[in-house]
Amino acid sequence: MAAIIEIEHLVKSYVIGDNVVHALNDVSLSVSEREFVAIVGPSGSGKSTLMNIIGCLDIATSGSYKLRGQEISLYTEDELSEFRNRMIGFIFQRFNLLNKLNAVENVELPLVYQGISSKERRERAVAALEKVRLANRMLHTPMELSGGQQQRVAIARALITDPPVILADEPTGNLDSTTGKEVMQILQGLGSAGHTIVLITHDMNIAKQARRIVRISDGRLVSDEEVSRS
């Protein structure tokens, strides 16, 4: 299957005083369409930096990152923002919902940035909430929802533009184990439905629910293995 994410010899460096720190050091990684990949590493390993670059939230110092054949470093900031909105759905540990908006309004937000009509926005937002079994709570604000419900709203928001890539950053980190399992079941369902899933986590039990585990340490990829289902 064709690669949707192609990273070659990626370096991300920061200058701190007189020192140069390599958050990522010669990272190469390929992710195929419809793959479910977990990127695992402890705090400070570089996985968050890698996530930001995969998510088009940051640009590498050197090396190449192509998303569906497009070299990300060639985009202007405005072009990158538009490309990111179409190509990537984000799911964050802290949900990142706006408290003043209800669930359906939060889900609609990516379509507002695309200039979609209010009627179509609402129809697509309701459909996305139905996918995560939360249509009956669509008029509730985040403060009126449990943590698990808030994360399901965030997943619906990530789905609203039908992006080919779902980037999930510690999506179960603020949830109890039962709710975390429900969220992972939703992500596995999205993978089966054709989305490419990139999961960032420090938890190996969560990572093992992906089909492939990539480990990162001190800014370098140290292993890349398929998950055995035996």
Side-chain angles (χ1 to χ4, degrees):
M1 198 167 290
I4 189 169
I5 292 171
E6 299 170 272
I7 293 172
E8 295 183 354
H9 305 296
L10 208 67
V11 173
K12 180 64 177 181
S13 302
Y14 299 96
V15 177
I16 302 177
D18 295 329
N19 299 315
V20 177
V21 177
H22 298 299
L24 296 174
N25 194 352
D26 196 27
V27 169
S28 294
L29 175 68
S30 178
V31 178
S32 298
E33 299 261 9
R34 305 184 67 166
E35 263 200 296
F36 187 170
V37 178
I39 298 175
V40 184
S43 178
S45 63
K47 68 180 187 298
S48 294
T49 302
L50 183 58
M51 179 205 72
N52 286 338
I53 292 174
I54 292 174
C56 303
L57 297 168
D58 198 1
I59 299 293
T61 305
S62 64
S64 172
Y65 170 36
K66 293 180 181 178
L67 181 56
R68 209 170 244 179
Q70 301 298 306
E71 177 58 60
I72 297 305
S73 64
L74 300 179
Y75 280 73
T76 67
E77 192 169 323
D78 287 344
E79 289 170 339
L80 192 59
S81 178
E82 180 185 353
F83 187 67
R84 180 173 61 237
N85 191 254
R86 286 189 290 109
M87 291 293 295
I88 301 173
F90 292 92
I91 303 169
F92 297 102
Q93 178 178 353
R94 299 187 183 279
F95 319 134
N96 287 15
L97 303 177
L98 298 182
N99 288 329
K100 292 183 179 180
L101 302 183
N102 62 33
V104 73
E105 290 168 339
N106 267 287
V107 173
E108 287 178 340
L109 275 178
L111 298 183
V112 173
Y113 302 134
Q114 290 188 0
I116 304 297
S117 70
S118 58
K119 181 176 183 294
E120 183 179 348
R121 289 201 309 263
R122 184 54 51 98
E123 290 172 352
R124 288 170 63 175
V126 170
L129 284 167
E130 287 173 346
K131 285 184 181 179
V132 297
R133 305 184 304 279
L134 211 60
N136 63 327
R137 305 283 283 178
M138 68 180 181
L139 299 180
H140 290 70
T141 64
M143 300 300 291
E144 298 170 320
L145 301 173
S146 68
Q149 289 170 335
Q150 289 184 61
Q151 191 60 293
R152 281 152 62 191
V153 172
I155 292 172
R157 182 185 57 196
L159 293 176
I160 193 70
T161 59
D162 194 28
V165 177
I166 301 291
L167 187 56
D169 180 19
E170 301 279 8
T172 63
N174 282 346
L175 306 175
D176 60 62
S177 59
T178 300
T179 308
K181 287 178 182 177
E182 293 174 356
V183 166
M184 289 305 300
Q185 287 172 354
I186 292 173
L187 289 179
Q188 288 169 332
L190 293 176
S192 299
H195 293 277
T196 302
I197 313 289
V198 179
L199 170 69
I200 311 295
T201 184
H202 68 280
D203 188 334
M204 279 302 300
N205 290 325
I206 295 296
K208 286 176 181 177
Q209 297 177 58
R211 297 174 190 166
R212 176 181 164 201
I213 298 176
V214 175
R215 298 174 193 254
I216 187 169
S217 179
D218 296 326
R220 293 181 179 271
L221 297 192
V222 294
S223 67
D224 186 344
E225 301 171 337
E226 296 289 330
V227 176
S228 172
R229 298 300 183 197
S230 60

